[in-house]
Every structure is written in C-alpha cells, then in structure tokens.
Amino acid sequence: MRANFETYRKVAKACSAYEPMSETRITNSCCDKSDISCTNCKYFDEEKYCRLDLYDQIVQNHNIKE
C-alpha cells in the first residue's frame, strides 16, 4: 500500500470526487462498503493510485500526514 488506511480515509473524506465502487468490487475488496476510503473509491486502481491524480494534491492542501 502506498499509505496507511487512516491516510486513505482522511483523503477520501476530503475528496470531492470520491465515489464508492460498485457492490461487486466492494464485496471482493478488503474494505467494508460503509468505510469511506480511497481503497473503496471507484477511481482508485489496482496499483493503489488515484486515476484522477487527486491524492497528492489533497494530502498537500489538507496537510494530511502520511
């Protein structure tokens, strides 16, 4: 993982583009669908990167410690 779960959670909560992934993909992931996190966002890819390239910008703009 690129960051820890808490960092992914903080980033997702601050992200205006966050959208939970489909039910099928959530069921197959490690995360509960009720958890807001980058790891269950539809824009988060298998390589652990945001396809919209928002992660680093949100971390910096919101002073989120990684």
Side-chain angles (χ1 to χ4, degrees):
M1 265 193 179
R2 181 175 167 187
N4 62 43
F5 183 77
E6 185 63 22
T7 302
Y8 283 138
R9 188 183 64 75
K10 289 177 183 177
V11 170
K13 284 188 174 200
C15 183
S16 62
Y18 171 81
E19 281 193 50
M21 61 180 76
S22 69
E23 285 292 322
T24 304
R25 194 165 165 202
I26 291 172
T27 304
N28 294 331
S29 76
C30 65
C31 306
D32 186 302
K33 68 181 177 182
S34 64
D35 292 331
I36 294 174
S37 172
C38 294
T39 59
N40 58 25
C41 177
K42 75 179 202 175
Y43 300 113
F44 198 67
D45 67 22
E46 291 79 22
E47 284 82 39
K48 312 293 185 213
Y49 286 94
C50 175
R51 292 191 311 257
L52 301 178
D53 200 24
L54 297 173
Y55 178 88
D56 292 328
Q57 180 180 340
I58 292 169
V59 167
Q60 182 178 11
N61 291 342
H62 292 273
N63 295 317
I64 297 172
K65 304 293 183 202
E66 293 188 79

